[in-house]
Amino acid sequence: MTSSVLLSARNLSVRFGGVLAVNNVSFDVERGEVFTLIGPNGAGKTTVFNLISRIYNATAGTLDFDGQRLTHVAPHDVAGLGIARTFQNIELFEHATVLQNLLIGRHIRRRAGIWSELLFTRTVREGERETRRKVEEVIDLLSLQHYRDTLVAGLPYGVRKVVELARALATQPKLLLLDEPSSGLNAEETGDMAFWIKDIQRDLHVTILMVEHDMGLVSRVSDRVLAMNQGEVLALGAPAVVQSDPAVIEAYLGSVDDVESLRRGPAA
């Protein structure tokens, strides 16, 4: 029987020298949900992402993905398990086209050996057709047809963000890690991003774990939210519940007295 939990973190801690960046963090991500990490800068959100991506090793605790102990997996094997990631700072091949970037992202699904590739066997040809078909489906889903043959270097920033999302989807992930998908986007582009995220969840049945600062986007797309501060968990639950939690408000805005002084304005 398949568990409803796709990703499980238990008592995760990471220490860099004398700095405890993540301290005893636990959470579960259910299959098919959009689960979002929020918190002020330095809260430890991206560090958690880097643990899942195996960029960092946990000092303590465990990560399990789809029934497998993730903390024992080599970084170069993570994508093959079904985990894809976008970055806050876009990581694309700028002098390749949109289509070529997506085809590169798809390469982890290739199964043919080197001799089959050299001889271009029937299996390789069928795999190439399947690769093209899957990539074109992603292009259609994210309305990138107009840009498919355009070099990434010539694209507006907002379109590049969508292309990076598309490349991650081309790997057919079970879990999609979105690192601040609205970063650098205007209000209209952020609205489009919310639309794509819900489409990916609903139509592709991909589970999404997101780090995000835009509370409007968080509220629109998230099923559950985990708030962090200084490497620790502050609150976990529905977006509205977490955003109204006093500890979360204090982490973002300061104490109740600080907020009241802001409302009153400077003393005469």
Side-chain angles (χ1 to χ4, degrees):
M1 183 175 178
T2 302
S3 170
S4 63
V5 175
L6 181 61
L7 178 74
S8 180
R10 286 291 173 270
N11 308 115
L12 281 181
S13 295
V14 181
R15 184 180 293 277
F16 300 110
V19 178
L20 191 59
V22 173
N23 183 22
N24 200 34
V25 170
S26 297
F27 61 89
D28 290 330
V29 179
E30 302 282 337
R31 295 179 190 273
E33 75 173 331
V34 177
F35 188 99
T36 302
L37 304 179
I38 67 170
N41 290 331
K45 309 179 299 298
T46 298
T47 301
V48 170
F49 260 36
N50 288 337
L51 288 170
I52 298 168
S53 302
R54 300 294 294 116
I55 296 172
Y56 298 155
N57 290 318
T59 305
T62 59
L63 274 167
D64 291 304
F65 175 73
D66 205 15
Q68 182 170 350
R69 184 55 50 89
L70 189 59
T71 39
H72 295 163
V73 174
H76 59 267
D77 289 330
V78 170
L81 292 179
I83 300 175
R85 178 178 179 176
T86 66
F87 292 83
Q88 182 180 352
N89 298 316
I90 299 172
E91 301 288 345
L92 293 169
F93 294 97
E94 293 205 348
H95 298 292
T97 66
V98 169
L99 177 61
Q100 289 166 341
N101 268 273
L102 269 61
L103 290 172
I104 291 169
R106 181 73 189 175
H107 84 280
I108 66 164
R109 296 297 171 192
R110 302 295 290 271
R111 294 290 180 261
I114 185 170
W115 287 110
S116 296
E117 293 281 359
L118 288 172
L119 296 171
F120 202 55
T121 63
R122 178 180 176 182
T123 299
V124 172
R125 293 194 299 271
E126 289 175 350
E128 181 69 22
R129 284 193 291 269
E130 175 69 4
T131 291
R132 292 275 176 165
R133 185 177 68 82
K134 290 294 185 181
V135 165
E136 293 295 346
E137 287 178 358
V138 173
I139 287 173
D140 289 342
L141 176 71
L142 299 181
S143 300
L144 288 170
Q145 300 94 331
H146 180 70
Y147 304 103
R148 66 190 304 281
D149 297 315
T150 303
L151 293 179
V152 166
L155 295 175
Y157 182 84
V159 176
R160 293 189 193 196
K161 294 282 280 193
V162 180
V163 173
E164 189 178 39
L165 175 59
R167 187 177 64 178
L169 287 178
T171 69
Q172 283 187 271
K174 299 175 184 176
L175 177 66
L176 178 60
L177 306 178
L178 300 180
D179 193 352
E180 299 199 25
S182 75
S183 175
L185 302 184
N186 61 34
E188 181 179 355
E189 291 167 338
T190 299
D192 290 340
M193 184 60 71
F195 177 81
W196 303 136
I197 290 171
K198 296 306 290 185
D199 268 4
I200 291 164
Q201 179 193 29
R202 181 183 63 247
D203 298 341
L204 301 185
H205 310 292
V206 173
T207 304
I208 297 171
L209 176 58
M210 181 171 71
V211 167
E212 184 53 61
H213 282 290
D214 187 316
M215 290 300 107
L217 178 61
V218 171
S219 298
R220 287 181 64 179
V221 304
S222 303
D223 296 301
R224 290 190 299 146
V225 174
L226 174 71
M228 297 180 63
N229 189 36
Q230 297 181 349
E232 299 183 349
V233 173
L234 291 181
L236 171 63
V241 173
V242 171
Q243 290 178 42
S244 62
D245 187 284
V248 176
I249 294 172
E250 182 170 344
Y252 273 97
L253 300 175
S255 68
V256 173
D257 290 339
D258 292 335
V259 174
E260 287 301 319
S261 68
L262 286 171
R263 288 173 177 166
R264 289 193 298 269

